[in-house]
Amino acid sequence: MRRRPSGSAAEDEDEDSFSAASSTVASPVGAQGEQSQPDPASTEESAKKPPPLKSGGKKVERASGTEASPAAGLRPWKPPTSTAASSGKRPKNMIPLAREITIDKMPDPRVHRRPRPRSPWLCSLATFLTFSTSAVILFTIVRSFLVRHLDVKGCRMPRMHPAYAELVDFDTEHTRFATKYSLYLYREVGIDDDDLKVNGVPVIFIPGNAGSYRQVRSIAAEAAYYFHNIVQHDPAAIEGGARSLDFFTVDFNEDITAFHGQTLLDQAEYLNDAVAYILSLYHDSRRSTRDSDLPDPTSVIVLGHSMGGIVARTMLTMPNYQSSTINTIITMSAPHARPPVSFDSDVVKTYKRINDYWRQAYSQKWANNNPLWHVTLISIAGGSLDTVVPSDYASLTSLVPETHGFTVFTSSVPNVWTGMDHQQILWCDQLRRAVVRSLMEIVDVNRPGQTKLRLDRMRIFKKWFLTGMEGVVEKTLPQRDPTTLLTLEDNSNSIISEDTRLTLRKFGHSRKPRAYLLPVPPQGTPGGKKFTLLTDQRLDAPGENGKLEVLFCSVFPLHPGQSATLFSMNMDLSGDSSGSTRLACKNAAADIIPLPASTRTSKFPFEDTTPFSYLQYDLEDIAEHQYVAVVDKAVDPTSGWVVAEFTNAESTIRTNIGLTHLLTVGMRMRLPATRPMMVDVKIPALHSSLLAYKLSIGSQACGDEGELFTPLLRQYVSDPYESKYFVNVRQANINLHGIAPFMPPPLKARSSGTGASLQFWFDPTCNTSVDISLKVDVVGSMGKLPMRYRTVLAAFPLLVVALVLRKQFSVYDSTGVFMSFSEGTDLVLRQSLPIVLLALTFFSMSLVRANSEPPKSGIISNFFNWRDNATESAVDFTRNDLLLGSQDPFFWFLVPLLGLVSAGVCVAVHYITLIITHTLATVYGLLTTRPGWMRNDDKKRVAMAFAPSSPRRRIITTSILLFFVATFIPYQFAYMVACIVQIATCVRALHYAQETRSGAHLNFYNYVHSILIVMLWVLPINLPVLVVWIHNLAVHWLTPFSSHHNVLSIMPLLLLVETLTSGKMIPRMTTSLRYVTNTLFCFLAIYAAVYGVTYAYLLHHLFNFSAAWLVAVHLSNSTFSLSGLSQMLEGEDEADEPNKKRP
């Protein structure tokens, strides 16, 4: 209702109509038979009114029970006669109000002119600016997320011919979930035709959230072809225990495990039963064709995708788990560190129980006390292309020590070198080859566990999944014996002088094999030297006849009686020389590090070209040798190149710039012309997952001979193991998965100064300096927010909505006007929200400082749930759960930024709801309009009556719904029904307020609309469990959820919604109890901001508790007795009788 200047004639006219409507409220019909009395507080205020105002130069007087001055040109107003009031009859010319819409202690407008509610469409300047700014920020974030800093997809499509054999014998005798889930054995058509008997090593595949059992086909097909075409023809591999893999897969009917903890536990229980059944197949000669001399399998290998990886870890914590039946787990895109969403309490609690079990197991001092001592866990993440599960959550650093597992990104895996999305990681041809070859190598059917020892398994996994340049990767050279005897002529001129780089631009120049010897510096040489070699050729293993072979040699004097046949290979390069030198050598081919080829034509690292071969040894790894022999075995001139050198500490550059300096100024450096081939630039400030950078590399001139290769860049972090390669690089987008929000701290504290590193390979023959610059990409960094903070939009908006409701109730209790949500939003944006966001900002900064300090013992530490023991388990793994989970004070601005975005989203949702309700109210008005031939007063009476259902019907409906919640349906379903009912109530209230143009009814509409807004924001928290329940109905699984049938979790909300369907306005609280309402919504707002992201499911319960208080306030103004309740249940109210009469 539009406000007019006080004292205007137009306002007086409007005031008369408002008074007339209000007098109807005071009538017995509008107040259920009782004469409404003026509010004493309002009467007292009217006594203090200022002198009469002047309007248009004429005095206008108003007083209780008096009429306006005739000078104002207004008709005298006459109150209704006492006869009508005493008899309870309604004058024909008066429009009836809803029978149960009452205004508690509303003062008579004739006594005190109340402030009228403003239009719900109000949009103040503060609201408009907030929405506009939020829209711009949100648009920038979404656009940056969709188009900037995107990794290129480089997966190649695989081929397979799958077949699935259902194991129908695995029935209800083995598991109680046999009617819901199914177990299949995979067979590759053309390889395993008509062979349904098990004969290899059992591997079980677990699909993820809404995943299919058929997703096993790509990896299982590669395993079948790899064994059939290669492994079975290798006698050494068969002797070492290699066998085919029997892939079993589970049909979970596309269960939704990410949203429902009980479903996750059900799957884990079923899989433990399945493992016991699978192992029993190998004991049955009718179902197995294994060699009887081999031990029966006692363990299976588990391969899990997405939430299937979490189910795999859950299996080891279940009561029906049989010890040592699982020893190897490989997961792909599995969110180990924390649940992807926290909308279900069971998911959060299950995650906590599982992670606590694994951490406690690995905190044991003795292996006998660790039930997971034999288990290896490998987590493979897809990187930034995975927009379903944040790859930060795949980290195992807070769960598993490096001796038992690690996390690696697909862009790090040799010969894969590409990121993958959530589904690609299952079928990517390059990755499935690496996975299958690692599995084949760890298999050992000669042991009951069917795999090699844990240390050997970890070494194999590091070999296949890590780049080889990580510090945890063991070099095989020191562990092997010499296998090659290299004979050279005396006084050879092939010995390269110390500190001289070896560079060959082509092979076979001498038209005979030739060895180039690089002297190994003595151990203890200052400068921390290392040996590096890079070539575009594949290095030969012993016995191969390629172009290039690299040997690490020691002088081997041949004593009388000692035979040279001790070596499997003899390489005599002495020619016809009488004198010779013999060297005992080890071949370095096993330690090759493949690097993507970087040439002028290179665009992506995953291109199907021959990779570079790279060797890198620290001096202590080769200290026992005297020479490095680079043998050119070509006898004809051929293309190719090799560069080898010993470098000192100048190959590693450590920067000391901070994050603020990096953001404001950036980083610039110039590499000198006389630099090593490989330069490693360590940038400790480059550690956050929330920032993106742009790297630029200056060009270099290489003279007339041309360059051997173009600049190659490796961006890497070591916790977790993530490497990205950039070939032929001039410009590069740098982003990483380092320190991320909400991530629990690692089991072992990180060393200071850790961060990302940039490893460059430059052609050393280009004797020119190179300029490197690195700067923060602000817009690109905004695109990193959605994956880390997407659940914030489910929690932070409730902060704004709760503050608005708090303001609305505060004003209503003071003035009797329930302001619109728009007006409340305006007041919150100008008053409450800035203060709250400022306080939360300081709170977040204090949390970061507190978390950076070590835990303290004592009362304070116990209050915050810090553990007092001095072991590694004393780490507080929940310290990053609060607010926005930031671990860096640099990101203090995220609280006001996301708060502003949430406020804008709230405004948008509010106006969208207004549009929907007004549209529905218009339709409702058209449907309830009577024909034109009816009498005018009858049409108004029918069209405008709120017509709520009877108390008896409401009680029965609510009781039936609560009964179903307690027995069959989850309370989330009842909540959705309540939202639908609330929308209907809001539409009717709006239609009634529009027809009556009464401030009282506009108050009621504003009230129900605000409750609807809160319910809509809480609805997404309840929808996932509802979706799971509907899915279970679709697969005919009718077992109720044990954790979602608490009647108290929904009863207050149902009672509130049912109360509002009666059209009854909430009474004003004029006592100190009004602060209870204020406190409840204030607490809801603060909790939504502090704990809402980590424990979002509790937001429903807090709102439910607030609804219980509102119901209590509603009941405080009503007379309730057992006799009245009995009368309601026996029949309709007496007051309903007039409504049944037809005109």
Side-chain angles (χ1 to χ4, degrees):
M1 185 175 296
R2 183 167 59 90
R3 296 181 181 272
R4 298 186 177 91
S6 178
S8 66
E11 182 178 356
D12 293 344
E13 227 174 53
D14 197 17
E15 185 71 24
D16 289 341
S17 62
F18 180 78
S19 302
S22 300
S23 64
T24 312
V25 178
S27 67
V29 177
Q32 300 182 1
E34 294 182 5
Q35 182 71 30
S36 176
Q37 299 297 329
D39 189 350
S42 301
T43 306
E44 181 180 351
E45 292 180 4
S46 63
K48 301 177 181 180
K49 290 176 58 177
L53 303 176
K54 295 183 179 181
S55 177
K58 299 180 181 180
K59 183 182 297 185
V60 181
E61 298 182 358
R62 289 188 180 94
S64 177
T66 63
E67 57 189 31
S69 171
L74 302 178
R75 293 177 301 172
W77 178 85
K78 296 181 180 181
T81 60
S82 59
T83 305
S86 59
S87 62
K89 296 182 180 179
R90 180 175 59 248
K92 291 185 178 182
N93 60 345
M94 298 189 68
I95 300 174
L97 294 177
R99 177 171 41 85
E100 296 189 35
I101 296 184
T102 61
I103 306 298
D104 181 57
K105 298 182 179 181
M106 292 281 289
D108 194 326
R110 297 167 294 168
V111 177
H112 174 65
R113 180 156 55 89
R114 307 159 49 96
R116 290 181 298 249
R118 302 169 70 180
S119 170
W121 292 98
L122 169 73
C123 183
S124 65
L125 180 61
T127 304
F128 177 76
L129 291 178
T130 300
F131 172 75
S132 301
T133 307
S134 174
V136 172
I137 295 175
L138 197 58
F139 174 79
T140 305
I141 291 175
V142 173
R143 188 177 184 278
S144 176
F145 174 71
L146 295 177
V147 302
R148 297 177 71 94
H149 284 265
L150 297 182
D151 293 341
V152 181
K153 296 181 180 180
C155 284
R156 293 188 288 270
M157 291 295 295
R159 294 183 179 181
M160 74 285 292
H161 302 85
Y164 307 89
E166 184 177 3
L167 303 179
V168 294
D169 292 340
F170 186 52
D171 52 18
T172 53
E173 293 183 1
H174 299 88
T175 177
R176 65 189 181 100
F177 296 101
T179 58
K180 184 180 182 183
Y181 303 141
S182 303
L183 183 65
Y184 290 85
L185 173 64
Y186 180 89
R187 285 296 181 246
E188 180 68 16
V189 177
I191 302 295
D192 306 309
D193 288 346
D194 300 328
D195 185 9
L196 299 182
K197 293 184 178 181
V198 295
N199 53 18
V201 176
V203 180
I204 187 167
F205 172 77
I206 308 175
N209 181 61
S212 170
Y213 69 97
R214 299 176 183 270
Q215 292 174 318
V216 73
R217 60 186 180 269
S218 59
I219 296 177
E222 174 64 21
Y225 282 108
Y226 182 66
F227 179 81
H228 182 267
N229 298 333
I230 298 177
V231 177
Q232 70 174 352
H233 303 296
D234 185 356
I238 298 299
E239 183 68 21
R243 291 295 187 275
S244 63
L245 302 178
D246 293 326
F247 274 88
F248 297 86
T249 180
V250 184
D251 182 11
F252 284 136
N253 286 310
E254 300 182 0
D255 260 350
I256 305 175
T257 51
F259 301 151
H260 196 238
Q262 186 58 48
T263 300
L264 190 150
L265 296 174
D266 292 346
Q267 291 185 1
E269 179 183 342
Y270 174 82
L271 284 167
N272 279 329
D273 295 334
V275 168
Y277 173 78
I278 290 171
L279 294 176
S280 69
L281 297 178
Y282 292 85
H283 304 167
D284 188 354
S285 59
R286 297 170 300 175
R287 307 294 299 273
S288 174
T289 59
R290 281 171 58 99
D291 189 347
S292 59
D293 295 335
L294 297 176
D296 293 330
T298 60
S299 179
V300 301
I301 300 173
V302 178
L303 189 64
H305 172 242
S306 186
M307 291 300 295
I310 309 304
V311 175
R313 289 179 48 226
T314 308
M315 294 170 62
L316 282 74
T317 68
M318 298 296 291
N320 66 332
Y321 170 69
Q322 298 181 13
S323 179
S324 301
T325 53
I326 297 175
N327 62 23
T328 303
I329 303 175
I330 298 180
T331 65
M332 299 179 175
S333 297
H336 292 288
R338 58 182 288 115
V341 291
S342 58
F343 294 165
D344 177 48
S345 60
D346 284 349
V347 167
V348 177
K349 294 175 183 177
T350 301
Y351 255 87
K352 184 179 185 306
R353 184 175 64 84
I354 298 169
N355 290 348
D356 287 347
Y357 178 86
W358 281 67
R359 290 166 182 152
Q360 183 65 26
Y362 287 121
S363 67
Q364 300 300 316
K365 183 177 181 180
W366 305 105
N368 293 336
N369 298 329
N370 182 3
L372 305 177
W373 182 256
H374 62 289
V375 178
T376 55
L377 174 60
I378 309 300
S379 176
I380 305 176
S384 57
L385 286 177
D386 189 347
T387 57
V388 176
V389 173
S391 290
D392 303 292
Y393 292 2
S395 175
L396 297 175
T397 55
S398 65
L399 299 169
V400 179
E402 293 182 351
T403 55
H404 290 73
F406 58 85
T407 303
V408 63
F409 285 71
T410 57
S411 57
S412 304
V413 180
N415 298 307
V416 177
W417 299 322
T418 180
M420 301 173 192
D421 64 28
H422 201 65
Q423 298 300 326
Q424 278 181 333
I425 201 170
L426 280 173
W427 56 259
C428 184
D429 185 57
Q430 301 99 301
L431 181 62
R432 69 169 187 158
R433 291 173 183 266
V435 172
V436 167
R437 281 152 180 75
S438 66
L439 290 178
M440 284 292 183
E441 197 166 337
I442 68 169
V443 164
D444 185 0
V445 294
N446 300 314
R447 303 182 71 251
Q450 303 298 289
T451 58
K452 292 180 172 63
L453 296 175
R454 177 182 57 81
L455 291 177
D456 294 331
R457 278 180 276 148
M458 288 298 300
R459 176 181 54 80
I460 293 169
F461 285 136
K462 290 175 183 178
K463 165 191 170 183
W464 284 103
F465 294 137
L466 300 185
T467 65
M469 291 174 278
E470 294 82 2
V472 296
V473 177
E474 300 177 2
K475 300 296 184 180
T476 62
L477 187 70
Q479 304 170 4
R480 297 198 312 270
D481 295 327
T483 58
T484 302
L485 180 63
L486 178 62
T487 304
L488 303 174
E489 60 180 346
D490 289 340
N491 302 320
S492 172
N493 59 359
S494 299
I495 299 179
I496 309 299
S497 61
E498 191 173 350
D499 295 332
T500 300
R501 178 184 298 121
L502 171 65
T503 302
L504 299 179
R505 287 186 172 272
K506 62 175 58 177
F507 297 101
H509 181 72
S510 302
R511 295 186 180 275
K512 65 177 182 179
R514 182 178 178 181
Y516 300 88
L517 301 183
L518 282 77
V520 176
Q523 192 171 9
T525 301
K529 289 193 173 184
K530 64 176 60 176
F531 172 76
T532 58
L533 180 145
L534 183 65
T535 177
D536 63 345
Q537 303 297 310
R538 180 179 178 272
L539 299 185
D540 285 352
E544 294 183 345
N545 298 315
K547 297 180 183 180
L548 183 65
E549 187 169 350
V550 179
L551 303 172
F552 288 82
C553 305
S554 302
V555 176
F556 182 76
L558 188 60
H559 298 287
Q562 187 176 13
S563 174
T565 59
L566 296 174
F567 302 94
S568 59
M569 293 296 301
N570 288 308
M571 186 179 296
D572 189 352
L573 304 181
S574 60
D576 298 331
S577 176
S578 58
S580 62
T581 300
R582 293 176 175 84
L583 301 176
C585 303
K586 300 178 182 180
N587 188 283
D591 291 332
I592 290 177
I593 300 171
L595 295 178
S598 181
T599 64
R600 283 293 180 186
T601 60
S602 300
K603 293 183 178 180
F604 305 109
F606 49 79
E607 293 174 343
D608 191 10
T609 57
T610 303
F612 289 171
S613 296
Y614 180 67
L615 290 176
Q616 178 177 303
Y617 291 98
D618 291 330
L619 191 57
E620 54 266 21
D621 294 330
I622 57 176
E624 62 178 290
H625 305 286
Q626 284 83 45
Y627 298 99
V628 179
V630 180
V631 183
D632 176 6
K633 300 166 65 175
V635 295
D636 295 314
T638 56
S639 61
W641 54 266
V642 61
V643 179
E645 63 181 0
F646 280 93
T647 60
N648 51 26
E650 65 183 10
S651 63
T652 301
I653 302 175
R654 182 177 295 273
T655 62
N656 295 319
I657 61 175
L659 188 58
T660 304
H661 184 275
L662 195 61
L663 179 65
T664 55
V665 180
M667 182 196 74
R668 295 180 181 274
M669 66 171 56
R670 171 168 293 184
L671 301 180
T674 57
R675 61 183 178 274
M677 174 183 61
M678 187 276 295
V679 178
D680 194 357
V681 181
K682 298 187 179 297
I683 312 174
L686 202 69
H687 61 259
S688 176
S689 297
L690 297 177
L691 294 178
Y693 307 84
K694 281 189 173 295
L695 176 73
S696 299
I697 301 177
S699 59
Q700 56 180 354
C702 293
D704 298 334
E705 295 184 352
E707 58 190 1
L708 299 177
F709 62 94
T710 55
L712 173 64
L713 168 64
R714 172 188 172 228
Q715 164 218 318
Y716 71 94
V717 293
S718 299
D719 187 15
Y721 297 112
E722 180 189 24
S723 295
K724 290 184 180 180
Y725 291 94
F726 302 88
V727 298
N728 193 19
V729 61
R730 290 291 182 267
Q731 306 281 339
N733 292 325
I734 305 297
N735 56 81
L736 58 134
H737 294 82
I739 298 178
F742 303 109
M743 289 295 293
L747 287 175
K748 184 179 180 181
R750 295 184 177 96
S751 59
S752 60
T754 58
S757 300
L758 303 178
Q759 191 172 10
F760 299 91
W761 286 269
F762 293 106
D763 185 352
T765 63
C766 301
N767 195 21
T768 56
S769 60
V770 178
D771 293 326
I772 299 175
S773 66
L774 181 70
K775 60 181 181 180
V776 176
D777 184 358
V778 177
V779 178
S781 299
M782 298 182 72
K784 303 303 172 185
L785 296 178
M787 286 305 298
R788 278 81 182 186
Y789 289 118
R790 56 184 178 179
T791 54
V792 167
L793 290 182
F796 251 53
L798 274 174
L799 162 69
V800 182
V801 174
L803 290 177
V804 172
L805 271 169
R806 170 185 168 275
K807 176 63 68 175
Q808 287 177 305
F809 276 102
S810 178
V811 173
Y812 174 66
D813 290 336
S814 301
T815 66
V817 174
F818 202 95
M819 65 175 63
S820 66
F821 195 87
S822 302
E823 190 174 0
T825 302
D826 173 56
L827 292 177
V828 166
L829 292 177
R830 290 188 289 107
Q831 300 174 3
S832 307
L833 189 60
I835 299 175
V836 172
L837 292 181
L838 182 63
L840 291 175
T841 301
F842 283 107
F843 179 59
S844 66
M845 297 175 66
S846 65
L847 284 176
V848 173
R849 295 192 185 95
N851 292 337
S852 62
E853 300 176 357
K856 301 178 181 179
S857 60
I859 299 177
I860 297 179
S861 61
N862 292 333
F863 178 79
F864 288 101
N865 199 25
W866 288 340
R867 301 175 184 175
D868 292 331
N869 56 322
T871 64
E872 290 185 357
S873 62
V875 178
D876 180 16
F877 294 102
T878 63
R879 69 188 188 188
N880 297 323
D881 289 348
L882 304 183
L883 270 177
L884 298 181
S886 176
Q887 305 178 42
D888 195 329
F890 174 81
F891 296 102
W892 62 268
F893 59 87
L894 287 179
V895 172
L897 177 68
L898 294 179
L900 178 63
V901 171
S902 300
V905 174
C906 284
V907 172
V909 171
H910 161 59
Y911 281 103
I912 291 174
T913 306
L914 276 181
I915 294 173
I916 294 175
T917 53
H918 277 70
T919 302
L920 294 177
T922 302
V923 175
Y924 177 77
L926 294 175
L927 295 177
T928 56
T929 301
R930 290 305 179 94
W933 47 265
M934 295 184 61
R935 289 182 301 175
N936 187 56
D937 56 342
D938 290 338
K939 285 195 295 182
K940 291 182 178 180
R941 192 160 44 234
V942 175
M944 299 176 59
F946 200 79
S949 59
S950 66
R952 176 191 179 192
R953 187 177 304 170
R954 295 198 303 272
I955 292 175
I956 294 176
T957 303
T958 305
S959 300
I960 292 175
L961 193 56
L962 291 176
F963 173 77
F964 279 115
V965 168
T967 57
F968 179 64
I969 66 175
Y971 70 78
Q972 289 83 359
F973 179 83
Y975 184 86
M976 186 188 69
V977 173
C979 288
I980 296 174
V981 174
Q982 184 66 13
I983 292 175
T985 301
C986 194
V987 169
R988 291 193 299 165
L990 174 61
H991 173 70
Y992 192 30
Q994 290 175 336
E995 292 296 325
T996 60
R997 299 186 180 276
S998 167
H1001 305 116
L1002 189 57
N1003 276 350
F1004 179 71
Y1005 166 69
N1006 291 336
Y1007 171 47
V1008 297
H1009 174 80
S1010 298
I1011 297 298
L1012 174 62
I1013 293 295
V1014 188
M1015 295 180 69
L1016 291 179
W1017 277 112
V1018 177
L1019 181 60
I1021 299 175
N1022 293 280
L1023 280 180
V1025 175
L1026 180 61
V1027 171
V1028 174
W1029 179 71
I1030 296 175
H1031 174 269
N1032 283 352
L1033 291 182
V1035 298
H1036 308 291
W1037 183 255
L1038 304 180
T1039 303
F1041 298 156
S1042 59
S1043 57
H1044 299 289
H1045 296 279
N1046 187 356
V1047 174
L1048 296 179
S1049 297
I1050 194 62
M1051 185 171 66
L1053 279 167
L1054 292 182
L1055 292 178
L1056 177 62
V1057 170
E1058 285 297 325
T1059 301
L1060 296 180
T1061 59
S1062 66
K1064 186 175 182 180
M1065 183 61 184
I1066 189 170
R1068 291 171 57 194
M1069 301 293 293
T1070 57
T1071 65
S1072 58
L1073 290 178
R1074 67 179 182 273
Y1075 297 113
V1076 176
T1077 308
N1078 192 309
T1079 303
L1080 284 176
F1081 285 108
C1082 184
F1083 182 78
L1084 176 61
I1086 299 302
Y1087 184 91
V1090 178
Y1091 287 98
V1093 177
T1094 304
Y1095 304 101
Y1097 67 92
L1098 285 176
L1099 293 174
H1100 166 89
H1101 299 290
L1102 290 177
F1103 177 52
N1104 184 61
F1105 187 79
S1106 302
W1109 169 250
L1110 295 181
V1111 172
V1113 174
H1114 273 282
L1115 295 178
S1116 65
N1117 199 40
S1118 62
T1119 56
F1120 177 81
S1121 64
L1122 293 178
S1123 58
L1125 177 62
S1126 176
Q1127 183 180 1
M1128 292 180 188
L1129 295 177
E1130 288 177 359
E1132 302 287 342
D1133 288 348
E1134 293 180 0
D1136 286 340
E1137 295 301 327
N1139 292 336
K1140 296 182 180 179
K1141 298 179 180 179
R1142 297 296 181 186

